Amino acid sequence: MDRRRFLARAAVAAATGIAGPFAGVACAGEQGGVTRVKGYGPLRPVRDKRDGVVRLHLPDGFAYRSFNEAGSAFPDGSTVPGRHDGMAAFAGPRGTAYLVRNHEVGGPVGAFGDKDKAYDPMAGGGTVTLQVTRHGEVLKAAPSLNGTMLNCSGGPMPWKAWVSCEETVNGPDVGDDHSGGDNSKLTRRHGYVFEVPVTGAATAKPIRSAGRFAHESAAFDPESGALYLTEDCFSFASGFYRYLPPKHPLKAGRLLDGGKLQMLAVKGSPREDLSAGQRHGASYATTWVDIDEPDPSFTGRPANDEAVQAVGKQGRAKGAAIFSRLEGAIHHQGTIYFVSTQGGATAPGDTAPSGFGKGRGQVWAYETWSGRLKLVYESPGSTVLDLPDNVTASPRGTLVLCEDGDGDNYLRGLTRHGELFDFCRMQPVAGDPGAEFAGSTFGPGGHTLYVNVQSTHGMSFAIWGPWQRGAF
């Protein structure tokens, strides 16, 4: 879309108060909530094409293959790490896809792959890059970033790169986190974003000006060149940020350090608490406040709980808005859609989840062209939508929400017309009740939905079938 058409559409949307391909969802919120529909039909147990084990429940006509599980070997003899998390797919040759996948491994457990290339040889997280077929057959697999920590999610960049986010501020200058790992064993500070090329290995140089905090996801706006960032500060208030690099990344060919970090605030309402239950169709005019010290270093090894709030407190002191556990984010036609996992009010019959936030999830939309923030959806209860996490969009404009709930976890669809449906249920993982869906992403042409199950023995999946029969 050229700039003139983009601005024309923006003007129409501003006049109506509704913008983007998910306008129907916004309307549904104003009319009293999202409608539940059957989607692709009832879910049934389906056997894995790899080994015949039932791992997913899907509608009739859909099939899948799991691949690249934790503990399997890379060609160089090193081992695939666990905790598969955020992921993106890029077009490869002859109909294949390149997948760049995060691994949310914490603690000073040692780097996987070649330790000489690691950002911190004591940290066990990072990314793996694979080339796969449309049916989940692995052609190539190798570490592409190692020695980072708790790589949760990130975002695909149009210059053929993945931005991987560390969801921590661990380092030798900070006290140990809730896991009890000895941070004094770490050799570098963590809490940054890293750029990973689609082919080849990352330079393992953090973008320090994009902040040192519990990063979750990244979503790039090609019009402005801004990188939007979510924060999942589990036990404390979180924020919605944007990083303004010193040069537009599409001109620079990469994400440059040395830019400005800002945090979103509601105009005329300092420290607005958006983690609380919202009215249907809630909408806010917004502004941005500067973060003066985006990359704090610490002396005296302060408590981890103190260090993880250092950047966010700067923004809130200037009036930045309060969110609950911001996780998945995606850019779609001028709008950033992002998820607040525990946002909202506690529904009757539900109990409030642990951590900051009392609800079962919100989906927000930030219009980059108008600066307007709108509530797309707020879960009415755990039986409808339970702690949404990663998010992506289908080729036909339906959001895919990965659940991270207390019971059965689903992939759910949220259509442009405000309809919510179940698409896939995870077979419970033996010995790991905390297993969850993560990293959903459609491959080139929309033939395959790739997704991860994050677990101590995690793995990736390729799902295919009659997409034309429903909203994906």
Side-chain angles (χ1 to χ4, degrees), residues 94-156:
R94 297 178 297 280
T96 65
Y98 290 114
L99 301 177
V100 187
R101 183 186 65 212
N102 276 5
H103 290 267
E104 192 184 6
V105 179
V109 297
F112 68 93
D114 185 349
K115 289 182 172 54
D116 291 336
K117 297 179 180 178
Y119 169 72
D120 181 343
M122 290 303 299
T127 66
V128 170
T129 299
L130 308 99
Q131 184 185 5
V132 298
T133 70
R134 301 193 305 173
H135 298 106
E137 298 147 323
V138 178
L139 304 178
K140 296 179 182 178
S144 48
L145 171 68
N146 63 344
T148 53
M149 201 172 199
L150 289 168
N151 297 73
C152 202
S153 191

Side-chain angles (χ1 to χ4, degrees), residues 81-382:
R83 308 295 298 173
H84 300 44
D85 208 319
M87 183 169 67
F90 302 83
R94 297 178 297 280
T96 65
Y98 290 114
L99 301 177
V100 187
R101 183 186 65 212
N102 276 5
H103 290 267
E104 192 184 6
V105 179
V109 297
F112 68 93
D114 185 349
K115 289 182 172 54
D116 291 336
K117 297 179 180 178
Y119 169 72
D120 181 343
M122 290 303 299
T127 66
V128 170
T129 299
L130 308 99
Q131 184 185 5
V132 298
T133 70
R134 301 193 305 173
H135 298 106
E137 298 147 323
V138 178
L139 304 178
K140 296 179 182 178
S144 48
L145 171 68
N146 63 344
T148 53
M149 201 172 199
L150 289 168
N151 297 73
C152 202
S153 191
M157 302 295 119
W159 57 93
K160 296 185 178 180
W162 165 256
V163 168
S164 182
C165 299
E166 291 186 304
E167 190 190 10
T168 182
V169 293
N170 282 341
D173 60 337
V174 173
D176 301 340
D177 66 14
H178 63 90
S179 70
D182 186 354
N183 276 355
S184 68
K185 294 181 178 180
L186 299 173
T187 67
R188 305 288 293 274
R189 296 186 298 174
H190 295 268
Y192 302 110
V193 302
F194 295 79
E195 184 173 311
V196 183
V198 170
T199 56
T203 61
K205 293 182 179 179
I207 310 298
R208 297 183 183 276
S209 297
R212 185 187 183 190
F213 57 88
H215 290 88
E216 176 76 26
S217 290
F220 176 71
D221 174 33
E223 183 76 11
S224 65
L227 184 70
Y228 292 85
L229 301 163
T230 59
E231 177 184 32
D232 183 6
C233 196
F234 182 85
S235 297
F236 308 99
S238 295
F240 184 56
Y241 299 80
R242 71 178 180 186
Y243 173 62
L244 305 176
K247 185 176 182 180
H248 197 301
L250 289 177
K251 295 181 179 179
R254 61 191 178 98
L255 187 66
L256 297 175
D257 206 347
K260 179 184 293 185
L261 183 67
Q262 298 179 317
M263 200 168 174
L264 181 135
V266 173
K267 280 186 178 180
S269 184
R271 295 173 58 88
E272 178 74 23
D273 186 1
L274 301 178
S275 73
Q278 301 289 310
R279 69 187 186 280
H280 291 301
S283 178
Y284 300 92
T286 66
T287 187
W288 294 88
V289 298
D290 293 341
I291 301 297
D292 297 323
E293 190 181 1
D295 182 20
S297 58
F298 304 99
T299 58
R301 297 193 74 216
N304 204 280
D305 284 354
E306 177 185 341
V308 79
Q309 300 180 74
V311 170
K313 280 186 173 181
Q314 293 179 56
R316 286 185 289 277
K318 293 183 175 184
I322 294 169
F323 290 93
S324 165
R325 299 194 59 202
L326 296 187
E327 299 207 68
I330 188 169
H331 173 273
H332 197 97
Q333 296 188 3
T335 300
I336 307 294
Y337 297 90
F338 63 97
V339 171
S340 171
T341 293
Q342 293 180 197
T346 307
D350 274 349
T351 57
S354 60
F356 189 92
K358 299 179 180 180
R360 291 287 165 170
Q362 297 166 325
V363 181
W364 291 93
Y366 174 76
E367 297 171 347
T368 61
W369 47 271
S370 72
R372 197 84 191 170
L373 179 70
K374 297 182 178 182
L375 179 70
V376 171
Y377 178 56
E378 181 171 303
S379 175
S382 59

